[in-house]
Amino acid sequence: MSTQRQIVDSSLALGRLEINSPMLNLGTCLSGSVKENTAQGGSQAAHLNGCVPLSHQVAGHKYGVDKVGILQHPDGTVLKQLQPPPRGPREMQFYSMVYAEDCCDPCLLDLQRHLPKYFGTWSSPESPNELYLKLEDVTRRFQKPCIMDVKIGQKSYDPYASYEKRDQQIKKYPLMEEIGFLVLGMRVYKVNSDGYDSYDQHYGRGLLKDTVKDGLSKFFYNGTSLRKDAITASILKVQNILRWFEGQIQLTFYASSLLFVYEGLPPPNPEGHIPRGLPEKTTYAACCEPNEDVLEHNNNVCVAVPLDYSLSTMYTMHKKGCTRGHHGNVTAATTDPNPQAHNSTWKCPGLVSSEQPNGNGVKAQLEEEEVGEGGRGEPQPEQRASEVEVRMIDFAHVFPSESQDQGYIYGLKHLLEVLQQILHQ
């Protein structure tokens, strides 16, 4: 048995722990569609060393509403606050395993293509006990990002959930087992009004078997037309994820989601220019551009995490590993010179150069953007897919397995079936 597999098996024992802590306040959400204006009303106050709440978050815990939430760092990455044990540590272990520097498992290396890139953990000098996962913002290259969060699988609770938790999750959406997915939130750009329509979790829970197609199609309707190009590209991306699941028997995912993003600006005519992301000087989500003062405190670190990972232990390890430098130069520290010698620690992945803070490699983008022979002609479906992102997110309930993840596969297949119906309606 490989060291990596032993590490994941160790996390299985953790999944059996019951944490008797009060539920997080999910805040008040408006049901149905909400109109937004693209212009930000007033400036957002900076939080935690220049970071601000993620303005385009469509689902999950939101900073300022819940105890944990997602922030945007001035360098363009996003910060996901670690959830209480065992969920938060389990998610951090998952990312650390998949992005380990010495990872040689073809299954996990292939999985990286479907996840946001991971840059280790982060904490602010102002609040050193608040630990965050530092992740790629997959929406960053889009000018008018349309975003949808879809929970995948027939069960939204893991095998070690209490009876109360299972009953709670089933009551939230009794059709989960039959439909296999749940729309948690959408944000759709409308070209006719230059604004966004937003749909929350209550909208998704109101979708039935005979209305889910029409409900999902709203994500691809821009106010004037159905974006069939985005549907086609989304189908290609989901099919790639399905192939990964059909070829692996190592992991099972519960309460995990797919994040869909496509460019809200309509595709140009054949003679027009295809937009390729944001100008360099664009400000992201009301966040200031990175400067030396901010980057000095960009304390990304890689730390070895003990499998008992109490939060106090993790914070201590994190602080020991912090060596702040200028312009994102950071030294990774571990407590064991040979962390592979035993399975009591996770080997943390290497950091990506600060020149590419969002992890979008130049070579990969150039390869995706080539169209036709010699870069000329109408883009083929494979090239059009570069205008769409579909990434797996939320890994607080991932467990080792020895068989296919049939619940997730079922959800992906039904989602593909619905997308095909929308495309050909």
Side-chain angles (χ1 to χ4, degrees):
M1 182 181 293
S2 68
T3 302
Q4 290 176 341
R5 187 58 183 274
Q6 289 174 340
I7 292 172
V8 179
D9 287 342
S10 299
S11 70
L12 178 61
L14 178 70
R16 300 189 180 97
L17 296 178
E18 293 293 340
I19 304 299
N20 297 317
S21 59
M23 290 184 58
L24 295 174
N25 174 25
L26 297 181
T28 302
C29 295
L30 298 176
S31 60
S33 170
V34 178
K35 296 285 185 180
E36 296 181 25
N37 194 316
T38 53
Q40 296 291 335
S43 61
Q44 288 179 295
H47 297 256
L48 293 178
N49 206 41
C51 301
V52 296
L54 188 64
S55 64
H56 51 257
Q57 185 178 349
V58 298
H61 303 304
K62 297 187 178 181
Y63 196 94
V65 177
D66 308 300
K67 293 181 180 179
V68 293
I70 298 181
L71 296 171
Q72 186 154 37
H73 192 279
D75 66 7
T77 58
V78 295
L79 305 173
K80 180 177 183 180
Q81 190 170 6
L82 211 67
Q83 299 180 71
R87 292 170 295 167
R90 188 188 292 129
E91 182 167 34
M92 188 166 81
Q93 284 199 329
F94 171 81
Y95 274 115
S96 298
M97 175 186 67
V98 175
Y99 283 100
E101 269 185 342
D102 58 351
C103 177
C104 57
D105 185 336
C107 178
L108 298 182
L109 293 174
D110 192 29
L111 178 60
Q112 292 180 9
R113 298 187 303 122
H114 307 303
L115 310 182
K117 291 180 174 60
Y118 174 60
F119 304 107
T121 57
W122 181 94
S123 69
S124 167
E126 303 161 15
S127 302
N129 290 334
E130 293 183 6
L131 197 59
Y132 293 80
L133 303 176
K134 200 165 193 287
L135 303 167
E136 172 192 6
D137 180 2
V138 299
T139 70
R140 183 178 179 182
R141 67 185 180 91
F142 298 91
Q143 297 187 55
K144 301 292 185 182
C146 296
I147 308 168
M148 178 171 64
D149 186 328
V150 183
K151 184 180 290 188
I152 305 294
Q154 292 179 287
K155 296 178 180 178
S156 56
Y157 55 87
D158 66 52
Y160 307 106
S162 64
Y163 288 111
E164 293 77 13
K165 180 67 173 179
R166 296 185 187 193
D167 186 58
Q168 177 197 65
Q169 291 297 314
I170 292 173
K171 285 180 178 178
K172 281 183 178 180
Y173 194 54
L175 296 174
M176 192 74 183
E177 186 167 359
E178 182 179 6
I179 292 179
F181 63 87
L182 168 63
V183 176
L184 295 178
M186 301 190 301
R187 186 173 187 257
V188 189
Y189 178 70
K190 301 296 183 179
V191 295
N192 51 348
S193 63
D194 191 28
Y196 288 90
D197 282 0
S198 294
Y199 301 83
D200 67 3
Q201 57 184 317
H202 299 291
Y203 172 81
R205 290 174 189 165
L207 298 178
L208 307 177
K209 188 175 181 180
D210 58 348
T211 62
V212 69
K213 177 177 73 70
D214 291 337
L216 197 63
S217 68
K218 289 183 182 296
F219 177 62
F220 298 100
Y221 182 71
N222 66 6
T224 60
S225 63
L226 187 67
R227 288 290 303 276
K228 291 193 174 185
D229 61 313
I231 301 173
T232 301
S234 296
I235 289 172
L236 290 173
K237 300 278 187 177
V238 176
Q239 285 174 337
N240 288 335
I241 294 174
L242 175 60
R243 278 193 287 271
W244 182 85
F245 271 90
E246 290 180 330
Q248 70 91 23
I249 57 171
Q250 296 186 33
L251 299 169
T252 301
F253 296 74
Y254 298 94
S256 185
S257 293
L258 292 184
L259 187 70
F260 290 75
V261 188
Y262 72 88
E263 179 55 65
L265 292 178
N269 55 47
E271 293 78 23
H273 173 68
I274 300 176
R276 293 296 181 189
L278 294 170
E280 288 185 7
K281 296 297 183 181
T282 300
T283 299
Y284 301 106
C287 196
C288 60
E289 287 189 73
N291 55 58
E292 291 190 11
D293 291 336
V294 173
L295 289 173
E296 284 181 0
H297 299 288
N298 180 14
N299 55 333
N300 304 313
V301 299
C302 287
V303 296
V305 183
L307 283 182
D308 62 6
Y309 50 68
S310 64
L311 284 181
S312 59
T313 301
M314 292 167 59
Y315 293 141
T316 301
M317 300 291 287
H318 173 81
K319 285 185 283 189
K320 285 182 179 179
C322 280
T323 306
R324 284 187 306 230
H326 292 273
H327 300 285
N329 295 324
V330 185
T331 301
T334 62
T335 56
D336 190 332
N338 184 20
Q340 288 291 314
H342 53 77
N343 65 349
S344 64
T345 59
W346 285 88
K347 182 171 178 60
C348 193
L351 296 177
V352 176
S353 166
S354 60
E355 294 179 1
Q356 294 289 337
N358 65 343
N360 293 329
V362 175
K363 180 179 178 182
Q365 286 192 21
L366 291 176
E367 289 174 347
E368 286 185 341
E369 291 174 11
E370 292 176 356
V371 291
E373 288 189 11
R376 298 176 178 271
E378 181 70 16
Q380 298 302 311
E382 291 78 6
Q383 280 81 44
R384 290 195 190 99
S386 67
E387 297 301 316
V388 172
E389 293 284 2
V390 180
R391 304 287 187 96
M392 297 170 60
I393 59 172
D394 297 336
F395 307 110
H397 303 276
V398 179
F399 297 90
S401 176
E402 295 182 353
S403 60
Q404 285 187 330
D405 188 344
Q406 293 298 337
Y408 204 105
I409 290 174
Y410 176 91
L412 289 176
K413 287 183 174 179
H414 190 214
L415 177 60
L416 283 169
E417 180 182 329
V418 173
L419 290 174
Q420 292 281 5
Q421 291 173 359
I422 297 172
L423 182 63
H424 298 108
Q425 67 183 8

